[in-house]
């Protein structure tokens, strides 16, 4: 799929200011050896106002439109949309207890003490975990890489961090024996909740997660380059991926030529397992900007998407007030969370130009996107460096992008 770029001035941007973003990325991140490459797409409505491809996909290989990226947690909005399709069909309700679909969790308690060599001591939750808790990360689940609590450690021991703890059914069974970190609905904690949603999609739809998403999202949107497992004929298009290193700046994590994504995944991760392209994710974002519809295909209802992009944090407020760990930092002021998306609830509080009501998320390899329905803007950024917290590139791009608006 070839991306066509239109006249940025006619779309309401200052071309010189957009070009400055490219110069900034090159001088600060590429020439300095901090990032291997950068891909940036800025759209207005259905049109592309700016497209920048810089750096090397692999050593000696220039980055192009055709290259593929590990999008990690940018998988979450896709899985959340897929799940909400089932809600629209009345096959599941947001208020349903999770145990209606995962009866194996009926005795799951909240952590009190123990862990490691000691057995867990638990208490009954104040209220049952509901489906909405999984979508908004108020479930009491966590991520192993947060490394804060005995629950995180139990996740690491189970292999969740490496996604080698079996398939989605085994994943659910293993979680039954690990307590929740807190009472569902009381706090926000970034977690494997969206992977649990993937397991629920399988149980409710009767299809494997990859088959359901391909049939109901990728095929109708024409997202032909988005996969849980990379087809053999696309391996040559896969970018190299790096991890941050304090002395070397970048250290190889996963090569494109021998990527782990070409092997069948043991666990289909609805929270972080997809590979995609700039063009494919642009089509997904265009569908979101167009209120759930693209090229005559309705993927999700307009009012359902409106519900998903509202702030669902308990009692309102932002992530700095509700998060137990990640995203509690001061720069997340003004950011709430919906059903699968981060949501700007107070643009002024963010300290970054933008719009109250824009929604967004990113991935651990420093990929990111946002959709601004107020200004009719889409931004997608791709590179391959983990962790995503290494550099403030997302905030920098957003600041420079909005400074380029003329209309």
């Amino acid at each position: 799929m070839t991306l066509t770029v239109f006249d940025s001035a006619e779309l309401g941007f200052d071309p010189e200011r957009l070009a400055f973003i490219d110069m900034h990325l090159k001088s600060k991140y590429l020439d300095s050896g901090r990032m291997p490459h950068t891909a940036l797409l800025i759209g207005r409505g259905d049109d592309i106002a700016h497209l920048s491809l810089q750096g090397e996909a692999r050593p000696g290989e220039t980055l192009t439109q055709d290259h593929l990226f590990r999008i990690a947690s940018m998988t979450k909005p896709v899985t959340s949309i897929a799940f909400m399709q089932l809600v629209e069909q009345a096959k599941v309700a947001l208020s349903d207890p999770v145990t209606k679909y995962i009866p194996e969790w009926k005795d799951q308690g909240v952590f009190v003490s123990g862990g490691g060599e000691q057995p867990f001591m638990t208490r009954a939750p104040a209220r049952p975990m509901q489906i909405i808790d999984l979508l908004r990360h108020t479930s009491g689940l966590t991520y192993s890489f947060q490394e804060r609590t005995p629950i995180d450690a139990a996740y690491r021991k189970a292999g969740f961090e490496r996604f080698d703890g079996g398939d989605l059914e085994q994943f659910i069974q293993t979680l039954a024996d690990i307590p929740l970190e807190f009472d569902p609905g009381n706090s926000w904690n970034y977690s494997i909740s969206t992977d649990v949603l993937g397991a629920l999609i399988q149980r409710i739809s009767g299809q494997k997660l990859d088959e359901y998403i391909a049939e109901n999202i990728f095929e109708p949107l024409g997202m032909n380059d988005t996969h849980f497992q990379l087809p053999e004929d696309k391996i040559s298009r896969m970018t190299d991926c790096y991890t941050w290193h304090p002395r070397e700046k970048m250290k190889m994590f996963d090569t494109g030529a021998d990527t782990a994504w070409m092997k069948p995944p043991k666990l289909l991760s609805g929270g972080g397992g997809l590979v995609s392209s700039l063009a494919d994710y642009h089509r997904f974002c265009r569908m979101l900007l167009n209120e759930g519809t693209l090229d005559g295909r309705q993927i999700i209802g307009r009012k359902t998407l409106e519900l998903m992009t509202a702030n669902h944090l308990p009692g309102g407020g932002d992530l700095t007030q509700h998060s137990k760990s990640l995203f509690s930092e001061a720069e997340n002021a003004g950011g709430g969370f919906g059903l699968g998306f981060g949501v700007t609830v107070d643009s002024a509080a963010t300290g970054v130009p933008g719009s109250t009501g824009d929604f967004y998320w990113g991935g651990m390899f420093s990929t990111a996107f946002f959709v601004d329905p107020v200004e009719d803007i889409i931004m997608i950024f791709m590179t391959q460096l983990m962790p995503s917290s290494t550099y403030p590139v997302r905030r920098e791009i957003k600041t420079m992008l909005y400074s380029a608006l003329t209309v």
Side-chain angles (χ1 to χ4, degrees), residues 120-173:
F120 282 120
M121 301 295 292
T122 65
R123 60 170 174 79
R127 71 153 172 82
M129 184 194 304
Q130 297 176 327
I131 294 296
I132 194 171
D133 292 314
L134 294 172
L135 282 151
R136 67 184 181 187
H137 293 282
T138 57
S139 60
L141 300 170
T142 188
Y143 260 130
S144 60
F145 57 73
Q146 302 212 52
E147 299 192 10
R148 296 181 307 111
T149 70
I151 308 303
D152 301 333
Y155 280 28
R156 289 193 294 279
K157 184 177 180 181
F160 294 160
E161 188 171 89
R162 301 179 303 278
F163 296 115
D164 62 2
D167 63 15
L168 281 171
E169 286 300 314
Q170 292 169 300
F171 172 72
I172 291 298
Q173 300 295 332

Side-chain angles (χ1 to χ4, degrees), residues 8 11-15 17-18 42-44 353-355 372 374-377 398-407:
S8 59
L11 292 172
F13 293 96
D14 182 328
R17 290 197 169 212
L18 290 180
I42 296 170
R44 203 152 202 195
S355 301
D372 181 345
V374 177
E375 297 287 350
D376 211 22
I377 289 173
K398 191 171 186 182
T399 298
M400 291 183 284
L401 185 162
Y402 280 96
S403 78
L405 273 180
T406 58
V407 178

Side-chain angles (χ1 to χ4, degrees), residues 3 44 59 65 69-70 78 126 130 239 249 258 277 283 309 311 314 320 341 346 356 369:
L3 294 168
R44 203 152 202 195
Q65 292 186 21
F69 305 87
R70 304 152 192 81
V78 176
Q130 297 176 327
T239 49
K249 297 183 182 177
D258 192 33
S277 66
R283 291 190 65 79
T309 56
N311 185 24
T320 65
F341 300 91
D346 183 347
T356 296
F369 82 97

Side-chain angles (χ1 to χ4, degrees), residues 4-160:
T4 302
V5 182
F6 292 82
D7 187 321
S8 59
E10 290 185 2
L11 292 172
F13 293 96
D14 182 328
E16 290 186 4
R17 290 197 169 212
L18 290 180
F20 179 77
I21 304 176
D22 302 346
M23 293 166 56
H24 173 77
L25 293 173
K26 184 177 186 299
S27 62
K28 183 173 180 178
Y29 294 109
L30 298 177
D31 293 348
S32 65
R34 289 186 172 99
M35 287 182 174
H37 49 255
T38 58
L40 174 64
L41 184 154
I42 296 170
R44 203 152 202 195
D46 286 327
D47 297 331
I48 298 172
H50 186 74
L51 179 65
S52 169
L53 300 157
Q54 302 187 86
E56 295 183 334
R58 303 181 186 183
E61 184 178 324
T62 301
L63 186 71
T64 70
Q65 292 186 21
D66 290 333
H67 279 105
L68 303 174
F69 305 87
R70 304 152 192 81
I71 63 170
S73 287
M74 279 169 59
T75 304
K76 287 180 171 68
V78 176
T79 302
S80 300
I81 289 287
F83 189 86
M84 291 301 290
Q85 291 176 332
L86 300 175
V87 173
E88 288 186 326
Q89 297 164 28
K91 293 181 178 179
V92 57
L94 295 179
S95 59
D96 283 345
V98 172
T99 52
K100 179 177 179 180
Y101 308 94
I102 309 179
E104 298 94 323
W105 289 9
K106 63 181 177 63
D107 296 322
Q108 193 175 43
V110 176
F111 173 79
V112 174
S113 64
E117 299 301 319
Q118 302 298 318
F120 282 120
M121 301 295 292
T122 65
R123 60 170 174 79
R127 71 153 172 82
M129 184 194 304
Q130 297 176 327
I131 294 296
I132 194 171
D133 292 314
L134 294 172
L135 282 151
R136 67 184 181 187
H137 293 282
T138 57
S139 60
L141 300 170
T142 188
Y143 260 130
S144 60
F145 57 73
Q146 302 212 52
E147 299 192 10
R148 296 181 307 111
T149 70
I151 308 303
D152 301 333
Y155 280 28
R156 289 193 294 279
K157 184 177 180 181
F160 294 160

